């Protein structure tokens, strides 16, 4: 615990190891927020249609680069969407391309644009074996989809019924447990040193009660859903532990205001506009800002076997107020903490960001 929390903190520029950038107008609306602070991001492939092949990833990467603000050095790290139709040769193409850094496993029906996902991991055994051979990371959305399982239990049941058998069958396959939300996920990852987990700002800052504070809060609905406070405490403990198995992945997931504020609202919290400031607030709440650099800027790069960034970012204990809304093509995007004042401001090489 730090006794004298610093007013400013300068450290290695971070990367976001789990990000949704979408496509078209939505992409153009959001990519600048991430690129202003993060040097790189693992870009999720759940477009419509999904990013299934290395060629798809190459084309999507070009669209992302074209949408960046002038002069940006942001580097998108691409992923492929695992489907039952994928062949092992696609893994070879992906690794050889140098632009694909993982394959994302969505259990079919688990979340936004996951219909093309995998129903049974037995359908993709040869692909997973090739990934293990070629040392390509599998990124998992760790929730079962069985409607009989309570939504708050879907992560823990996934660990017992899907992940644990998978790790036994392919003991060298490197797996990132994306957006971990439970103590069970933290314990499982900790027990398997070749695995890692990303943690989102909303799961570090909020428990499920926040979704019902004075009414229903659709902008706090994401998947996996926020869990009870005792889980949040375990996640934050893991984040600040200094363990290289836990690192930053926002899962920033933009949806237009009308699709969130609806009778059947979409899952996803948009956090790219304030991501690093949000993580800083979480770390500061337990007096561990000194552990932020490893979590935000070192451990993910190390896990993905990429060089750490050379440039720096500065965090200042200076409040800023999040806008109520951002433009989102012809629609509006309501960001996490809309209209609220955050305690930290972020700047890179002289520019103050996030305002
Ligand atoms: O809340 C979520 N939104 N969880 C996911 O897994 C997907 C994401 C999205 O793409 O909107
Ligand atoms: Zn996601």
């Amino acid at each position: 615990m730090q006794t004298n929390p610093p007013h400013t903190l300068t450290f290695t520029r971070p990367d976001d190891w789990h990000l949704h950038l979408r496509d078209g107008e939505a992409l153009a609306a959001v990519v600048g927020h991430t690129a202003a602070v993060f040097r790189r991001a693992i870009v999720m492939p759940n477009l419509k249609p999904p990013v299934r092949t290395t060629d798809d990833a190459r084309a999507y990467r070009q669209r992302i680069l074209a949408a960046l603000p002038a002069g940006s050095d942001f580097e998108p790290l691409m992923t492929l969407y695992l489907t039952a139709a994928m062949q092992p040769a696609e893994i070879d193409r992906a690794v050889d391309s140098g632009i694909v850094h993982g394959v994302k496993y969505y259990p079919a029906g688990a979340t936004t644009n996951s219909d093309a996902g995998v129903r049974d991991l037995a359908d993709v055994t040869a692909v997973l074996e090739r990934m293990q051979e070629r040392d390509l990371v599998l990124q998992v959305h760790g929730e079962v989809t069985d409607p009989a399982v309570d939504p708050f239990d879907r992560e823990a049941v996934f660990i017992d019924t899907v992940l644990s058998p998978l790790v036994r069958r392919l003991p060298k396959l490197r797996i990132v447990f994306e957006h971990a939300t439970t103590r069970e996920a933290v314990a499982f990852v900790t027990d398997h040193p070749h695995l890692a987990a990303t943690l989102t700002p909303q799961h570090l800052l909020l428990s499920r009660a926040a979704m019902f504070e004075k009414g229903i809060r659709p902008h706090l609905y994401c998947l996996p859903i926020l869990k009870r406070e005792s889980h949040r405490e375990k996640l934050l403990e893991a984040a600040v532990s200094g363990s290289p198995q836990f690192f930053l992945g926002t899962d920033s997931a933009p949806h237009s205001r009308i699709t969130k504020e609806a009778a059947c609202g979409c899952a996803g919290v948009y956090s790219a506009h304030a991501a690093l400031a949000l993580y800083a607030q979480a770390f500061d709440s337990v007096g561990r800002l000194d552990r932020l650099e490893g979590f935000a800027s070192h451990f993910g790069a190390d896990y993905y076997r990429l060089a750490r960034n050379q440039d720096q970012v500065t965090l200042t204990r200076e409040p800023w107020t999040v806008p109520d809304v951002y433009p989102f093509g012809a629609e509006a995007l309501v960001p996490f903490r809309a209209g609220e004042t955050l305690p930290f401001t972020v700047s890179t090489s002289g520019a103050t960001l996030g305002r």
Side-chain angles (χ1 to χ4, degrees):
M1 184 99 166
Q2 290 175 295
T3 42
N4 265 325
H7 180 71
T8 69
L9 196 63
T10 295
F11 59 90
T12 308
R13 190 167 167 203
D15 303 299
D16 184 349
W17 300 98
H18 184 133
L19 177 67
H20 297 271
L21 284 176
R22 315 299 191 208
D23 213 342
E25 283 186 332
L27 163 65
V30 300
V31 70
H33 281 156
T34 293
V37 174
F38 296 93
R39 167 79 175 81
R40 299 170 289 199
I42 285 276
V43 181
M44 287 294 136
N46 62 333
L47 304 182
K48 282 188 216 165
V51 179
R52 294 172 209 246
T53 66
T54 306
D55 284 341
D56 292 344
R58 203 174 273 117
Y60 183 32
R61 183 172 179 276
Q62 287 308 322
R63 297 198 295 281
I64 296 168
L65 294 174
L68 284 170
S72 173
D73 63 353
F74 176 74
E75 191 185 338
L77 307 173
M78 309 311 292
T79 60
L80 302 186
Y81 188 115
L82 184 61
T83 71
M86 190 182 272
Q87 296 298 312
E90 195 59 57
I91 299 305
D92 293 326
R93 281 191 286 276
V95 173
D96 296 341
S97 75
I99 61 160
V100 175
H101 296 267
V103 173
K104 177 73 183 279
Y105 161 41
Y106 285 105
T111 186
T112 306
N113 299 346
S114 64
D115 298 346
V118 173
R119 264 159 234 292
D120 185 345
L121 274 185
D123 298 341
V124 290
T125 302
V127 167
L128 296 175
E129 285 171 352
R130 188 64 59 86
M131 288 178 67
Q132 178 174 254
E133 248 169 73
R134 300 293 314 261
D135 200 22
L136 186 60
V137 170
L138 180 72
Q139 297 135 342
V140 302
H141 182 110
E143 289 191 290
V144 292
T145 55
D146 180 353
V149 178
D150 187 284
F152 291 92
D153 297 334
R154 286 180 187 171
E155 186 170 289
V157 172
F158 178 89
I159 293 168
D160 288 344
T161 61
V162 182
L163 186 60
S164 185
L166 173 66
V167 168
R168 257 181 275 128
R169 212 166 57 235
L170 294 168
K172 295 203 171 109
L173 178 64
R174 290 191 307 131
I175 301 174
V176 177
F177 196 103
E178 300 293 344
H179 39 56
T181 67
T182 58
R183 77 166 74 78
E184 288 86 352
V186 169
F188 190 86
V189 168
T190 304
D191 280 352
H192 296 84
H194 68 299
L195 304 194
T198 53
L199 298 169
T200 79
Q202 67 268 23
H203 291 100
L204 293 177
L205 287 165
L206 299 179
S207 58
R208 64 191 192 181
M211 279 187 299
F212 311 110
E213 203 189 326
K214 299 183 188 143
I216 187 82
R217 306 281 181 163
H219 297 289
L220 298 182
Y221 173 59
C222 63
L223 289 172
I225 198 160
L226 294 174
K227 302 298 191 297
R228 56 169 75 239
E229 178 63 9
S230 56
H231 290 288
R232 187 193 71 84
E233 286 164 7
K234 282 289 172 207
L235 300 177
L236 187 54
E237 217 175 86
V240 305
S241 67
S243 161
Q245 290 178 272
F246 297 94
F247 46 81
L248 186 158
T250 61
D251 198 18
S252 178
H255 290 273
S256 69
R257 177 177 215 153
I258 47 166
T259 61
K260 295 283 295 172
E261 297 175 9
C264 183
C266 292
V269 169
Y270 183 70
S271 60
H273 63 298
L276 192 60
L278 293 164
Y279 284 107
Q281 187 179 6
F283 277 59
D284 188 49
S285 73
V286 288
R288 290 262 52 150
L289 270 183
D290 59 321
R291 292 275 166 84
L292 184 59
E293 181 176 34
F295 175 83
S297 312
H298 293 165
F299 303 153
D302 297 350
Y303 192 80
Y304 278 93
R305 304 200 171 129
L306 296 168
R308 293 179 183 179
N309 294 326
Q310 297 290 317
D311 45 348
Q312 299 198 304
V313 71
T314 297
L315 198 62
T316 308
R317 199 180 289 276
E318 198 180 288
W320 74 283
T321 301
V322 177
D324 292 333
V325 79
Y326 287 107
F328 192 58
E331 310 272 346
L333 174 62
V334 178
F336 187 42
R337 300 297 207 203
E340 293 180 41
T341 298
L342 305 181
F344 290 96
T345 300
V346 174
S347 57
T348 56
S349 48
T352 300
L353 307 162
R355 286 166 192 267

